[in-house]
Amino acid sequence: MEYDSAYFAGGCFWCITPVFKETEGVLDVVSGYSGGDEVSPDYDDVKKQKTGHRETIRIDYVNKTVDFSNLLDIFIESVDPFDDGGQFIDRGHSYTLAIYYTDGKQKEIAEKKIAELEKTYGKDVYISVEPFKSFYPAEEEHQNYYLKHPEEFERELIESGRKKGE
């Protein structure tokens, strides 16, 4: 089966995985690290801002079912695009927003959506649009965290401010 990949850094990778996993046409979502130059970074070093990498997800998808533009809309709805210092309680470069484009079409779509957001809201959007360099899958314990640790995941969503407590 032919598929494409999209790479989004949206703060905590645990927190943005489920919405994409549940999207029709998405084959897989892998948590990992991207954007830095260090080879084979690990979670602790990325979290401590030692690598230049951001927590990133790779979304493998069937373009005929869901396209890059649709995925980008979901991404933007899942983050705070106006926060320049990270996402919610997760602060620092490794939690800032980025779209790593793999071709000119992805770059064009991303830049257009960001320009539209800025025009609509009249303020700066802090989503970096960068060429894809590399992606390093995170350690197994970080893959599908929401399924492995549903109670801890729910608590993380609430404590981070991504989800309001009941």
Side-chain angles (χ1 to χ4, degrees):
M1 174 183 299
E2 283 192 43
Y3 67 90
D4 293 312
S5 296
Y7 299 87
F8 299 146
C12 168
F13 48 34
W14 298 340
C15 297
I16 61 171
T17 296
V19 68
F20 290 104
K21 281 283 235 190
E22 297 163 7
T23 299
E24 186 178 352
V26 170
L27 302 172
D28 198 12
V29 180
V30 179
S31 294
Y33 316 109
S34 199
D37 293 322
E38 183 172 318
V39 176
S40 299
D42 67 34
Y43 181 74
D44 289 333
D45 285 345
V46 172
K47 188 175 180 74
K48 292 175 184 171
Q49 316 301 321
K50 293 182 176 181
T51 67
H53 287 287
R54 292 179 177 99
E55 288 193 13
T56 303
I57 57 172
R58 184 188 76 216
I59 304 163
D60 298 329
Y61 63 99
V62 178
N63 201 18
K64 291 179 180 171
T65 307
V66 61
D67 65 19
F68 183 77
S69 182
N70 300 134
L71 294 174
L72 199 48
D73 289 338
I74 294 167
F75 172 69
I76 290 168
E77 290 172 12
S78 302
V79 299
D80 177 359
F82 308 111
D83 186 344
D84 67 345
Q87 287 293 286
F88 304 93
I89 64 167
D90 295 315
R91 311 313 295 163
H93 177 78
S94 66
Y95 295 108
T96 58
L97 304 177
I99 299 161
Y100 299 107
Y101 61 87
T102 59
D103 60 31
K105 184 176 180 186
Q106 285 186 350
K107 179 182 181 188
E108 181 182 326
I109 292 167
E111 289 175 341
K112 182 178 178 188
K113 290 216 184 257
I114 290 169
E116 289 171 0
L117 263 179
E118 289 181 334
K119 183 177 179 186
T120 299
Y121 291 95
K123 53 186 175 178
D124 291 337
V125 168
Y126 296 99
I127 302 175
S128 184
V129 178
E130 302 177 17
F132 174 76
K133 294 192 292 190
S134 58
F135 178 80
Y136 300 96
E139 299 81 353
E140 183 56 36
E141 67 192 83
H142 300 293
Q143 305 301 331
N144 299 310
Y145 188 86
Y146 74 106
L147 295 173
K148 295 175 184 172
H149 306 283
E151 291 170 5
E152 292 92 337
F153 176 71
E154 185 71 15
R155 190 169 47 251
E156 171 76 16
L157 287 179
I158 293 168
E159 289 174 0
S160 73
R162 284 184 184 258
K163 180 178 178 180
K164 303 295 179 220
E166 315 279 313

